[in-house]
Amino acid sequence: MNAPHHPAKGVHLIADLEGGAAAALSDPALIERVLRAAAEAARVHVLALNLHHFGPEQGVTGVALLAESHISIHSWPEEGVAAIDIFVCGEGADAWAALHAIEEGLAMRSAHAQAIPRLGARPHATD
Amino acid sequence: MNAPHHPAKGVHLIADLEGGAAAALSDPALIERVLRAAAEAARVHVLALNLHHFGPEQGVTGVALLAESHISIHSWPEEGVAAIDIFVCGEGADAWAALHAIEEGLAMRSAHAQAIPRLGARPHATD
């Protein structure tokens, strides 16, 4: 895929999610769907999607490489938690919409979320 | 690979690098070597490595999935900059060593770097 590379300036959203069901957090097919839904919500383009399942009833690591940077998830079903990062560059990408799609898709809530301006982007109001 | 999944608590290091040569920042083979060197320096285990090159003289997006979470890089050769994130869980992983390996491997310096405790990890002294 020959997607254009977006400008460097962007926002990196870091969120720790809690309250997830073990069955959801150990389901790689669900997590892939949730990553794709997050990319769609953010209006970004998936170049590749890589998943690793640590085993039955265990966690999943997933990363979507984007034309606009990446979205990652790491889940720990035994604790009901997941770590999300959403790094999107360029105009028009909505990192918070991606986070909301993940919260909804996994029926979890953010215990902590913060937006970090990257590479000279100016801080802006979040959410 | 049946690597054990590490505990959720971890540190997420976010760094913006500057002063890079365009030839280095558009070289996917070099960036793959640098990611592997970073993982080795941090004493973490690479499960998969995914790279996307946006085209000749253009940027590279690379993500190493780790047993301990992930390391990502996004480069913009036209600006001499790269965005790095290094998320490592578990005892014994050294995120700062990974960052130093990337700075050295690409002959760049961090314009800004910060360490974010994830999923209940306590903040600790950095660098």
Side-chain angles (χ1 to χ4, degrees), chain A residues 42-69:
Chain A
R43 298 187 298 274
V44 295
H45 305 89
V46 176
L47 301 172
L49 201 145
N50 216 241
L51 286 167
H52 179 81
H53 190 194
F54 286 88
E57 300 178 21
Q58 293 190 51
V60 176
T61 278
V63 178
L65 295 192
L66 308 175
E68 298 82 0
S69 290

Side-chain angles (χ1 to χ4, degrees), chain B:
Chain B
M1 183 175 173
N2 197 16
H5 200 190
H6 285 258
K9 292 178 183 181
V11 61
H12 199 149
L13 189 52
I14 301 281
D16 292 344
L17 271 52
E18 62 182 16
L25 294 177
S26 59
D27 182 345
L30 171 62
I31 286 175
E32 175 168 351
R33 287 198 301 277
V34 166
L35 283 173
R36 292 192 186 278
E40 188 173 343
R43 299 186 299 274
V44 294
H45 305 90
V46 176
L47 301 172
L49 202 145
N50 216 241
L51 285 167
H52 179 81
H53 189 194
F54 286 88
E57 300 178 21
Q58 293 190 51
V60 177
T61 278
V63 178
L65 295 192
L66 308 175
E68 297 83 358
S69 289
H70 73 264
I71 301 174
S72 78
I73 179 169
H74 304 280
S75 72
W76 287 267
E78 65 276 25
E79 299 180 46
V81 300
I84 308 296
D85 78 304
I86 300 164
F87 178 20
V88 290
C89 293
E91 302 290 330
D94 186 342
W96 289 97
L99 178 59
H100 295 153
I102 293 170
E103 290 170 339
E104 189 179 315
L106 294 175
M108 299 177 78
R109 59 188 170 271
S110 289
H112 178 75
Q114 69 184 104
I116 300 168
R118 299 297 305 264
L119 292 161
R122 285 173 300 175
H124 51 68
T126 51
D127 215 7

Side-chain angles (χ1 to χ4, degrees), chain A:
Chain A
M1 183 175 172
N2 197 16
H5 200 190
H6 285 259
K9 292 179 183 181
V11 62
H12 199 149
L13 188 52
I14 301 281
D16 292 344
L17 271 52
E18 62 182 17
L25 293 177
S26 59
D27 181 345
L30 171 62
I31 286 175
E32 175 168 350
R33 287 197 302 276
V34 166
L35 283 173
R36 292 192 186 279
E40 189 174 342
R43 298 187 298 274
V44 295
H45 305 89
V46 176
L47 301 172
L49 201 145
N50 216 241
L51 286 167
H52 179 81
H53 190 194
F54 286 88
E57 300 178 21
Q58 293 190 51
V60 176
T61 278
V63 178
L65 295 192
L66 308 175
E68 298 82 0
S69 290
H70 73 264
I71 301 175
S72 78
I73 179 169
H74 303 281
S75 72
W76 286 268
E78 65 276 26
E79 300 181 47
V81 301
I84 308 296
D85 79 306
I86 300 165
F87 179 19
V88 290
C89 293
E91 302 290 330
D94 186 342
W96 288 97
L99 178 59
H100 295 153
I102 294 171
E103 290 170 339
E104 189 178 316
L106 294 174
M108 299 177 77
R109 58 188 171 271
S110 290
H112 179 74
Q114 69 183 106
I116 300 167
R118 299 297 305 264
L119 292 160
R122 287 172 301 178
H124 53 67
T126 51
D127 215 6

